[in-house]
Amino acid sequence: HTDAKYKAMIAAITGFSIDRIFFDHNIPRGPGSADAYILFDAGTTPANYLAAANAFIAAGNHGHGDDLQVKSLPETTYDINVTVAFVATTSDSAKIVLLGEIEQFIRCAFRGNSDYADYVTQVRPFELFSWSKLGHELHAHFSAIATLVWGQDDIASGLEVPRIGTLEVIDAGA
């Protein structure tokens, strides 16, 4: 079986799209061994999905000599802070609301919710997560933002999904 066939089987069992399934063939269990990792959104309980996929494969739905295990993609946490300056006409009460919305937008980028999924690029394994791109997306969605100052470098991920450890969204005028 090829990776594509396994992706199709796992996607059919779990309901996740094939672009959320990643492979690692450098597994020390011997020839024909590999791990398939599923990218779950934060807050998803993967146990039932993983059990169903592994049971299906173990029931003989694998190539001769293949040893495939389906797992949740490992996570790496990051502490994030951003200082937001608003346009001068933004009221104090609007700033409070906007700070909360900006926080949820950032959490969505890290797959913590789906509130802004149509407007934000979400983290993925093997990709560079760019703060300037997220800043551009925030500016496009919230016209009251004058400027953003990020407190960390871009994130280059491997076979893991970046998650938020702590998140501070700070009003520059406070």
Side-chain angles (χ1 to χ4, degrees):
H1 285 4
T2 63
D3 288 357
K5 180 66 176 172
Y6 278 123
K7 279 186 175 191
M9 289 179 358
I10 294 166
I13 295 300
T14 62
F16 287 98
S17 65
I18 61 171
D19 69 337
R20 286 179 164 240
I21 302 168
F22 303 87
F23 287 90
D24 183 359
H25 295 280
N26 298 316
I27 304 303
R29 293 190 306 264
S33 63
D35 287 340
Y37 292 96
I38 299 176
L39 171 59
F40 291 98
D41 290 331
T44 303
T45 305
N48 292 340
Y49 298 105
L50 298 175
N54 282 310
F56 182 78
I57 292 166
N61 296 299
H62 56 81
H64 180 71
D66 285 357
D67 175 8
L68 179 71
Q69 294 179 12
V70 183
K71 301 177 178 185
S72 181
L73 196 63
E75 300 179 355
T76 305
T77 58
Y78 293 87
D79 296 329
I80 300 165
N81 67 70
V82 59
T83 302
V84 183
F86 295 100
V87 296
T89 57
T90 309
S91 70
D92 288 341
S93 60
K95 288 178 185 179
I96 292 169
V97 171
L98 285 165
L99 288 170
E101 290 177 359
I102 291 166
E103 178 179 336
Q104 291 310 309
F105 196 97
I106 295 167
R107 289 187 184 284
C108 183
F110 283 81
R111 300 183 177 276
N113 64 54
S114 59
D115 297 349
Y116 298 96
D118 292 338
Y119 308 102
V120 66
T121 302
Q122 294 183 305
V123 293
R124 295 186 51 80
F126 301 112
E127 290 188 4
L128 179 69
F129 183 80
S130 166
W131 297 110
S132 62
K133 183 172 185 175
L134 179 58
H136 175 76
E137 293 167 341
L138 281 160
H139 278 284
H141 197 75
F142 301 104
S143 60
I145 295 174
T147 189
L148 299 160
V149 178
W150 299 99
Q152 56 282 318
D153 294 331
D154 289 348
I155 298 171
S157 61
L159 186 61
E160 76 272 344
V161 60
R163 299 284 192 203
I164 294 174
T166 61
L167 173 58
E168 287 184 286
V169 181
I170 304 157
D171 179 356

